[in-house]
């Protein structure tokens, strides 16, 4: 939502509150029992105005917080990527490295899909995988997948090739696919550029960590639901109506109080 639209929505809500205030000021021309009706109408007008005009602005609050964090220098965002081993990761690395705001790109691990292991097969892979390649930093065997963590400067294609060579030697077949887990670190100010760059290649970050995402998450957690926010706006309408109802009593009382205070100072 652009600034002009936000200003228009705020002005329209304020106009509605002026209308509610005017209704409250008509209390002296109404029977006392009609005050409840005035408050109900004020609540409905406040709730409707909040739902139509303030709620869209309220929903933009996380984006406003994110924009503020993006403007802060030296902030970093970490993007966790799940990539297909069929893509040209070297070309992707080269493209990302040449983009302003790049900090680092690391192929962290690969996940190789397998069949559903029985207990004997699971135990066998638990014992043997660590001996296939010394560049396997760590590994984890699930019921149907093998996840291998990679040493620094060791690529996913090298890891997949070494595992595939061993697999062909033992089972007589090849493995040509794995899911590559990569970690991309960028300047917060350039996050949108990198997200767009990745999206053009059909890549969406699995998760993002950093000041921007943390601020957005904290803001989302602290925000009211749309229903709660609408009820609060209805309550604002009631408060404005009450001020209008008792304004004729409050203003003279305030003037008497100021006069009393001034007289006391003079003494």
């Amino acid at each position: 939502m652009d600034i002009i639209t936000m200003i228009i929505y705020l002005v329209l809500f304020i106009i509605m509150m002026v209308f509610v205030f005017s209704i409250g000021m008509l209390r002296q021309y109404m029977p006392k029992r009609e005050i409840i009706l005035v408050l109900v109408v004020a609540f409905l007008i406040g709730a409707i105005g909040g739902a139509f005009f303030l709620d869209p602005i309220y929903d933009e609050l996380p984006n406003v917080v994110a924009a503020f964090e993006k403007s802060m220098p030296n902030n970093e965002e970490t993007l966790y990527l799940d990539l297909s081993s069929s893509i040209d990761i070297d070309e992707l690395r080269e493209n990302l490295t040449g983009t302003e705001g790049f900090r680092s790109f690391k192929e962290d691990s690969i996940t190789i899909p397998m069949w559903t292991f029985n207990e004997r097969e699971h135990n066998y892979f638990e014992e043997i995988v660590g001996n296939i390649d010394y560049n396997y930093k760590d590994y984890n065997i699930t019921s149907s997948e093998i996840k291998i963590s990679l040493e620094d400067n060791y690529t996913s294609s090298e890891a997949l090739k070494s595992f595939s060579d061993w697999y062909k030697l033992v089972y007589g077949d090849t493995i040509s696919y794995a899911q590559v887990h990569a970690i991309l670190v960028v300047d917060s100010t350039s996050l949108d550029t990198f997200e767009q760059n990745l999206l053009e290649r059909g890549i969406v970050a699995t998760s993002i960590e950093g000041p921007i995402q943390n601020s957005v998450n904290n803001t989302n957690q602290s925000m009211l639901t749309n229903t709660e926010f609408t009820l609060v706006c209805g309550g604002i309408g009631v408060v404005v109506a009450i001020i209008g109802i008792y304004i004729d009593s409050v203003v003279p009382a305030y003037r008497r109080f100021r006069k009393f205070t001034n007289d006391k100072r003079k003494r």
Side-chain angles (χ1 to χ4, degrees), residues 1-251:
M1 181 184 297
D2 57 82
I3 298 296
I4 295 178
T5 303
M6 292 176 64
I7 293 174
I8 292 174
Y9 280 3
L10 285 172
V11 170
L12 289 174
F13 183 79
I14 292 172
I15 290 174
M16 294 182 76
M17 291 300 98
V18 171
F19 177 70
V20 168
F21 182 80
S22 301
I23 294 176
M25 292 186 66
L26 296 175
R27 187 269 307 176
Q28 57 181 325
Y29 304 107
M30 303 177 186
K32 288 186 178 181
R33 63 177 180 274
E34 299 295 334
I35 294 179
I36 300 299
L37 179 61
V38 171
L39 296 180
V40 171
V41 171
F43 178 83
L44 292 176
I45 293 175
I48 293 172
F52 281 94
F53 301 129
L54 293 190
D55 193 56
I57 298 175
Y58 188 65
D59 288 340
E60 290 292 318
L61 187 58
N63 293 332
V64 174
V65 173
F68 174 77
E69 287 291 346
K70 288 177 183 177
S71 66
M72 301 297 291
N74 301 321
N75 280 348
E76 291 183 349
E77 298 295 316
T78 302
L79 291 78
Y80 295 90
L81 311 176
D82 290 338
L83 311 171
S84 170
S85 59
S86 62
I87 72 170
D88 189 343
I89 296 181
D90 289 336
E91 187 277 332
L92 175 63
R93 181 195 301 272
E94 182 179 351
N95 180 275
L96 295 174
T97 304
T99 304
E100 184 178 357
F102 173 84
R103 292 291 181 89
S104 67
F105 178 80
K106 178 180 183 296
E107 296 171 62
D108 183 62
S109 61
I110 62 172
T111 297
I112 304 172
M114 306 291 283
W115 65 89
T116 301
F117 298 137
N118 58 37
E119 184 177 355
R120 181 180 61 82
E121 291 170 331
H122 185 278
N123 292 337
Y124 171 71
F125 279 105
E126 281 279 9
E127 294 178 1
I128 201 66
V129 171
N131 298 320
I132 296 174
D133 193 325
Y134 67 89
N135 286 300
Y136 294 173
K137 184 177 181 180
D138 194 9
Y139 62 93
N140 180 49
I141 314 296
T142 66
S143 60
S144 60
E145 293 179 338
I146 299 176
K147 184 174 182 179
I148 301 172
S149 300
L150 309 179
E151 292 284 358
D152 294 339
N153 301 319
Y154 191 64
T155 66
S156 58
S157 59
E158 292 173 321
L160 181 59
K161 183 180 184 305
S162 65
F163 185 88
S164 182
D165 290 345
W166 169 85
Y167 188 81
K168 184 175 182 179
L169 181 65
V170 175
Y171 290 93
D173 200 0
T174 59
I175 291 178
S176 57
Y177 173 80
Q179 188 176 57
V180 180
H181 309 287
I183 301 175
L184 172 64
V185 181
V186 302
D187 287 337
S188 295
T189 54
S190 303
L191 177 62
D192 290 341
T193 302
F194 281 92
E195 285 186 315
Q196 184 60 37
N197 193 346
L198 293 171
L199 188 60
E200 290 174 356
R201 288 172 160 74
I203 302 171
V204 178
T206 306
S207 62
I208 302 176
E209 293 180 357
I212 293 177
Q213 197 61 39
N214 293 339
S215 297
V216 170
N217 291 340
N218 292 336
T219 302
N220 284 327
Q221 291 175 1
S222 62
M223 288 178 66
L224 302 174
T225 64
N226 290 344
T227 301
E228 292 170 340
F229 184 75
T230 299
L231 293 176
V232 169
C233 292
I236 293 174
V238 172
V239 171
V240 172
I242 292 175
I243 294 174
I245 290 171
Y246 294 103
I247 192 69
D248 290 338
S249 302
V250 172
V251 172

